[in-house]
């Protein structure tokens, strides 16, 4: 029996492993120093264009409140960045790249009560479009106290005022797609609806029409939601605005459920696409199991040149025997060929899902 006065071990309790709590850390905390060859000596931040380089800024104080002052200390500045290479190895050069962190600034280029903003959704539909319309509207009106937010209907065609759109059944006046003013009441609950309350379309891009519209309606902030083609157009609108000396900021919001963007971790709509893909995979698994002998279920998923949806759906479903992605060249025969692999799976399981 241990009778030491400083022993607090209860009967039946196994002794603690040696050095579990007493191992010294090199920095005095819970972290050890990495090898000296893993260092970052300099960080280069991707340059972000700013209207203040072309026009005089309002330098308005960022109050962040709809007429109600409250403490908000987590402002971001030029020194707040996200490192592009989060994983560091000894073989990497000491220089790193970074992206400017998004977030509220202490001073604003525009004076919020003078801001008239507009938002437009372009291209194909994607889960989350109404969430974007809702959050942009509520952020501008609630947090910043903007004067108004317009919703442009029917994609870029909504900027073509006083004109007529030709359709298969005749013609439809664009007046029926007149912009709508987005309010708290209008956007409340739209996140539960599919599609976009603004409507969407392909084509209709005309930089002159867009800038004329923004000038007539005193739009100073334009939010454009769309894919790669839409963003090429958005970039052109921004450049043309500078050429015409139109004091307009253009913000592009990437819309791709394929998750085929670097920089960001995940694009909106991607999780929904992966979830929907699992239903197709489960159906294919049932077909393969029930079609005897040697049933094969084949599922083709969207993604264009990126295999993120296919890969994540495969990992989540657990029923897939072979996943083919655009990033990896397909070999039909040979040691790593698709056909020999499927043949081996059929011999073992009697079915396969590709």
């Amino acid at each position: 029996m241990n009778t030491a006065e400083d022993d607090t071990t209860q009967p039946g309790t196994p002794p603690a492993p040696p050095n579990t709590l007493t191992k010294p850390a090199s920095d005095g905390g819970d972290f050890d120093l990495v090898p000296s060859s893993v260092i970052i000596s300099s960080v280069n931040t991707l340059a972000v264009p700013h209207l203040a380089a072309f026009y005089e800024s309002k330098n308005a104080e960022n109050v962040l409140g709809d007429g109600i002052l409250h403490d908000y200390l987590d402002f971001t500045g030029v020194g707040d960045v996200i490192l592009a290479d989060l994983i560091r190895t000894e073989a990497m050069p000491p220089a790193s790249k970074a992206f400017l962190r998004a977030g509220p600034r202490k001073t604003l280029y525009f004076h919020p009560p003078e801001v008239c903003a507009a938002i437009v959704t372009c291209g194909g539909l994607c889960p989350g479009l109404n969430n974007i319309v809702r959050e942009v509207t509520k952020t501008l009106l609630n947090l910043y106290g903007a004067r108004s937010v317009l919703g442009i209907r029917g994609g870029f065609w909504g900027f073509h005022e006083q004109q007529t759109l030709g359709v298969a059944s005749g013609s439809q006046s664009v007046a029926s797609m007149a912009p709508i003013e987005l309010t708290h009441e209008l956007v409340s609950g739209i996140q539960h609806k599919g599609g976009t309350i603004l409507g969407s379309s392909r084509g209709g891009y005309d930089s002159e029409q867009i800038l004329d519209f923004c000038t007539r309606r005193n739009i100073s902030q334009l939010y454009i939601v769309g894919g790669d083609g839409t963003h090429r157009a958005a970039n052109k609108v921004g450049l043309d605005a500078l050429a015409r000396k139109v004091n307009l900021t253009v913000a592009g919001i990437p819309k791709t459920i394929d998750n085929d963007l670097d920089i960001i971790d995940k694009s909106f709509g991607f999780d929904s696409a992966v979830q929907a893909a699992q239903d197709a995979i489960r159906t294919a698994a049932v077909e393969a199991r029930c079609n005897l002998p040697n049933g094969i279920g084949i599922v083709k998923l969207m993604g264009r040149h990126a295999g993120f949806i296919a890969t994540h759906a495969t990992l989540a479903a657990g029923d897939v025997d072979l996943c083919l992605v655009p990033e990896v060249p397909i070999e039909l025969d040979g040691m790593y060929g698709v056909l020999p692999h499927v043949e081996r799976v059929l011999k073992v399981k009697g079915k396969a899902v590709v």
Side-chain angles (χ1 to χ4, degrees):
M1 180 175 179
N2 191 342
T3 58
E5 293 181 357
D6 61 348
D7 182 29
T8 57
T9 304
Q10 298 297 321
T13 302
N19 298 328
T20 298
L21 301 178
T22 59
K23 180 181 178 181
S26 57
D27 62 348
D30 296 330
F31 297 90
D32 290 330
L33 290 175
V34 298
S36 58
S37 55
V38 181
I39 61 173
I40 298 179
S41 60
S42 61
V43 178
N44 297 316
T45 305
L46 180 68
V48 177
H50 200 287
L51 285 178
F54 305 93
Y55 310 110
E56 183 179 356
S57 172
K58 295 288 186 179
N59 287 321
E61 180 185 2
N62 193 351
V63 177
L64 276 181
D66 191 12
I68 302 175
L69 296 178
H70 62 278
D71 292 332
Y72 190 93
L73 303 178
D74 195 18
F75 289 107
T76 54
V78 294
D80 295 302
V81 299
I82 305 295
L83 292 179
D85 47 359
L86 297 178
I87 300 177
R88 303 290 300 180
T89 65
E90 296 185 52
M92 297 178 68
S96 179
K97 297 179 180 179
F99 302 100
L100 191 63
R101 183 187 175 197
R105 267 54 178 173
K106 289 184 178 180
T107 58
L108 303 173
Y109 176 81
F110 293 105
H111 187 46
E114 301 173 356
V115 168
C116 295
I119 180 170
V120 60
T121 52
C122 305
L125 296 181
C126 174
L129 287 175
N130 279 333
N131 296 69
I132 293 176
V133 174
R134 176 180 181 271
E135 294 307 317
V136 169
T137 300
K138 285 186 171 290
T139 298
L140 288 171
L141 297 180
N142 283 350
L143 291 181
Y144 289 94
R147 179 187 300 178
S148 64
V149 182
L150 282 183
I152 309 301
R153 305 189 62 191
F156 284 135
W157 288 110
F159 292 103
H160 295 239
E161 293 185 300
Q162 310 301 324
Q163 292 190 29
T164 300
L165 274 177
V167 293
S169 59
S171 64
Q172 175 184 352
S173 173
V174 181
S176 64
M177 295 199 304
I180 56 177
E181 182 169 355
L182 300 175
T183 62
H184 299 289
E185 294 76 20
L186 186 61
V187 301
S188 294
I190 64 172
Q191 72 272 21
H192 303 302
K193 300 178 181 180
T196 164
I197 64 168
L198 301 179
S200 185
S201 68
R202 303 181 187 276
Y205 166 72
D206 187 319
S207 184
E208 185 175 350
Q209 292 278 358
I210 295 172
L211 293 178
D212 287 346
F213 177 97
C214 292
T215 302
R216 285 194 304 270
R217 294 180 174 267
N218 197 30
I219 301 298
S220 55
Q221 296 183 11
L222 177 59
Y223 298 86
I224 300 179
V225 188
D228 50 358
T230 299
H231 276 71
R232 283 193 291 270
N235 184 61
K236 185 68 164 55
V237 171
L239 295 176
D240 290 347
L242 289 176
R244 287 181 48 172
K245 301 189 183 303
V246 177
N247 195 2
L248 172 72
T249 182
V250 180
I253 303 175
K255 173 183 65 66
T256 168
I257 63 175
D258 301 334
N259 201 39
D260 53 348
L261 287 176
D262 290 336
I263 303 179
I264 67 173
D265 294 326
K266 189 184 299 182
S267 58
F268 70 89
F270 172 69
D271 285 337
S272 298
V274 171
Q275 183 177 4
Q278 292 179 60
D279 293 334
I281 292 174
R282 282 191 289 268
T283 301
V286 172
E287 291 282 350
R289 184 178 69 248
C290 296
N291 281 273
L292 302 176
N294 299 327
I296 300 177
I298 299 178
V299 179
K300 182 179 179 181
L301 299 175
M302 63 183 65
R304 195 179 297 182
H305 305 300
F308 290 102
I309 294 179
T311 302
H312 283 249
T314 294
L315 294 173
D319 296 319
V320 180
D321 301 292
L322 175 64
C323 178
L324 305 175
V325 294
E327 292 88 344
V328 180
I330 297 176
E331 297 182 19
L332 292 179
D333 302 302
M335 182 181 299
Y336 302 104
V338 169
L339 298 179
H341 173 74
V342 173
E343 186 177 0
R344 289 192 296 267
V345 171
L346 290 176
K347 287 182 179 179
V348 175
K349 301 171 61 175
K351 59 184 179 62
V353 177
V354 180

